[in-house]
Amino acid sequence: MTKTFTESKYGKPWVVQSGNTTATAGARYFVNTGSIAITITLPAAPVLGDEVHFIDYARTFDTRALTVANNGKLIMGVNDTLSVSTEGAAFSLAFSGDTYGWLITHGI
């Protein structure tokens, strides 16, 4: 189930994401792992400066982690997924190009 909170002052609306999905550039997710672990796949063809934002909505990443799938691009210079298991984590990823891929801009 997905809930959307309309707010356009700062970009795309925040979405409560309660299942697996593929992110779009600029997406902002309240990730609800209260019932199940969730995988969010990063965009397949990002461009320099694309961002995706994540917040642990139910404060349950420590029991049901968020997995961020790389979709063929690097995350922090590594060709692997990112597993976040810190309760209350909030972070953003920005695409820096193919050399280092998605980088954490703040949070966790």
Side-chain angles (χ1 to χ4, degrees), residues 59-82:
R59 301 189 55 79
T60 52
F61 284 3
D62 58 331
T63 55
R64 285 174 290 283
L66 165 64
T67 298
V68 180
N70 64 349
N71 208 359
K73 299 293 183 181
L74 303 177
I75 299 176
M76 301 296 293
V78 178
N79 188 18
D80 203 353
T81 61
L82 172 66

